[in-house]
Amino acid sequence: MKKEQSCFFIALVIKYVKSKGKDTSLLFKGIEESRNKMEDQHEWIDVKTTNLFLDNLDALFEYEPGIMQKIGYEVFIEQSSFFQLLFFKLTPISIILKNFESFYKKNISKAIHANAIYHREGHIELIFEPKEKSLYHPAVCDTFKGNILGILHSKGFNDAKIEEQSCVIRDKDATKCHYKATWKPHPTILSKIKQSLNFRFRDQSTIIQNMEESHAKLQDQYDQINKLFDKLKSSENRFRRIFENIQDVYFELALDGTIQEISPSINSISDYTTK
């Protein structure tokens, strides 16, 4: 099986479907042999298997219009950790998009070239170009559009919207999927300070320059936060692998004695299960 599509988002979708009380077995119709991989966030599968999963997902929700974008949005909001949501809330959108292309290729898909263009605060563009147009599934973009809306809403841009400029499926001659996201920017602390200085000081340029230099340092700090987030994610992934493959039984208890989490090894050495 080719390692073209990450199971990271797929595994989150499976958890999301469970939370809605849906029958998750329907997600694997025709691809039952890939179920274990698709439930593992660290695995990769081929594009054809991913497309069958997305078709099954669409059918499970009875082809509701806009359902894929809705799922992308709700999966981001409901399945992201507190730290991830805090990271997106605090980090400027320009910095989030700075490494978008490399992040998408490394963590999401090797079959689609993705790019993000930051025009200004309140206006970005997202571009997805599949390596093979015949294997492209529009739900890939639709769910990711939902993710982007989730990020913007988590930052307080509740009026944000995404408009389709072109789609390789819906536009016969298109080679790329092109989306534009817009929202009304909130005044930043820096802009408010600048406005105040314009009325209070004659020598504005020197003061404003110092403020901009301080702002640049702040952006650098955000870059450091981004690196720390990657390290935390890597550490979390290592712990999860150990937790899921350990031979001994590992468990965590709450103060009242209830089991909060227990390793899957309990299945093979006792009559109890983790399900």
Side-chain angles (χ1 to χ4, degrees):
M1 179 178 288
K2 296 180 180 178
K3 295 183 177 182
E4 299 171 314
Q5 200 78 30
S6 170
C7 292
F8 176 76
F9 182 72
I10 291 174
L12 293 180
V13 169
I14 295 169
K15 289 183 179 180
Y16 168 83
V17 171
K18 289 179 179 178
S19 73
K20 299 300 179 182
K22 299 281 188 178
D23 183 2
T24 55
S25 64
L26 298 177
L27 293 173
F28 306 100
K29 183 179 179 181
I31 48 175
E32 290 83 359
E33 70 283 357
S34 302
R35 177 166 187 162
N36 289 338
K37 280 192 173 184
M38 299 174 82
E39 292 184 307
D40 186 343
Q41 295 184 15
H42 313 298
E43 285 287 354
W44 288 71
I45 56 177
D46 61 279
V47 172
K48 289 184 177 180
T49 302
T50 302
N51 289 348
L52 286 172
F53 175 85
L54 293 173
D55 285 337
N56 292 340
L57 178 64
D58 200 6
L60 183 61
F61 284 87
E62 300 178 345
Y63 306 101
E64 177 185 330
I67 187 60
M68 293 302 180
Q69 183 170 318
K70 179 182 178 182
I71 289 174
Y73 178 86
E74 292 186 351
V75 165
F76 173 82
I77 296 297
E78 297 176 12
Q79 301 295 332
S80 293
S81 67
F82 170 80
F83 182 84
Q84 289 171 324
L85 289 174
L86 182 63
F87 169 80
F88 285 116
K89 183 175 181 63
L90 295 178
T91 306
I93 193 69
S94 58
I95 295 178
I96 293 175
L97 297 179
K98 184 177 180 181
N99 299 312
F100 174 80
E101 180 179 344
S102 59
F103 174 84
Y104 194 90
K105 183 177 181 180
K106 180 180 178 182
N107 298 282
I108 306 297
S109 176
K110 295 181 174 66
I112 300 172
H113 177 74
N115 188 27
I117 303 171
Y118 178 82
H119 291 282
R120 61 182 180 276
E121 191 66 20
H123 180 195
I124 62 174
E125 290 182 84
L126 303 169
I127 298 172
F128 300 87
E129 183 176 7
K131 290 184 178 180
E132 291 185 56
K133 184 174 178 179
S134 61
L135 295 178
Y136 180 76
H137 200 295
V140 173
C141 282
D142 290 341
T143 52
F144 203 76
K145 282 193 298 180
N147 293 160
I148 293 296
L149 274 180
I151 291 174
L152 295 176
H153 286 183
S154 72
K155 297 179 70 61
F157 304 131
N158 295 323
D159 62 335
K161 59 182 180 179
I162 292 186
E163 300 172 296
E164 181 178 297
Q165 307 298 300
S166 66
C167 175
V168 296
I169 298 298
R170 291 180 275 269
D171 301 334
K172 183 177 65 174
D173 298 326
T175 59
K176 302 176 182 178
C177 284
H178 180 193
Y179 300 98
K180 180 175 71 173
T182 56
W183 66 95
K184 185 178 180 180
H186 295 171
T188 64
I189 295 177
L190 182 61
S191 65
K192 290 181 179 179
I193 293 175
K194 281 184 177 182
Q195 186 177 13
S196 177
L197 290 175
N198 284 334
F199 291 101
R200 294 171 182 249
F201 297 95
R202 292 182 179 179
D203 188 13
Q204 303 164 13
S205 58
T206 301
I207 297 173
I208 292 175
Q209 181 180 354
N210 291 336
M211 293 299 300
E212 289 176 339
E213 289 174 356
S214 297
H215 184 59
K217 291 179 181 178
L218 181 61
Q219 286 191 325
D220 183 62
Q221 291 176 356
Y222 277 122
D223 284 334
Q224 296 301 318
I225 292 175
N226 196 13
K227 292 178 181 179
L228 289 173
F229 173 70
D230 287 340
K231 289 181 180 179
L232 178 64
K233 180 181 176 182
S234 176
S235 177
E236 181 182 347
N237 290 343
R238 286 197 298 271
F239 172 78
R240 179 55 56 183
R241 292 192 196 99
I242 294 173
F243 176 79
E244 292 178 351
N245 294 284
I246 192 172
Q247 298 302 310
D248 296 326
V249 176
Y250 172 86
F251 62 91
E252 295 179 359
L253 294 178
L255 293 177
D256 61 1
T258 58
I259 297 176
Q260 291 185 313
E261 190 164 16
I262 189 166
S263 60
S265 55
I266 189 70
N267 299 333
S268 59
I269 65 175
S270 75
D271 294 330
Y272 296 98
T273 69
T274 57
K275 301 296 184 182

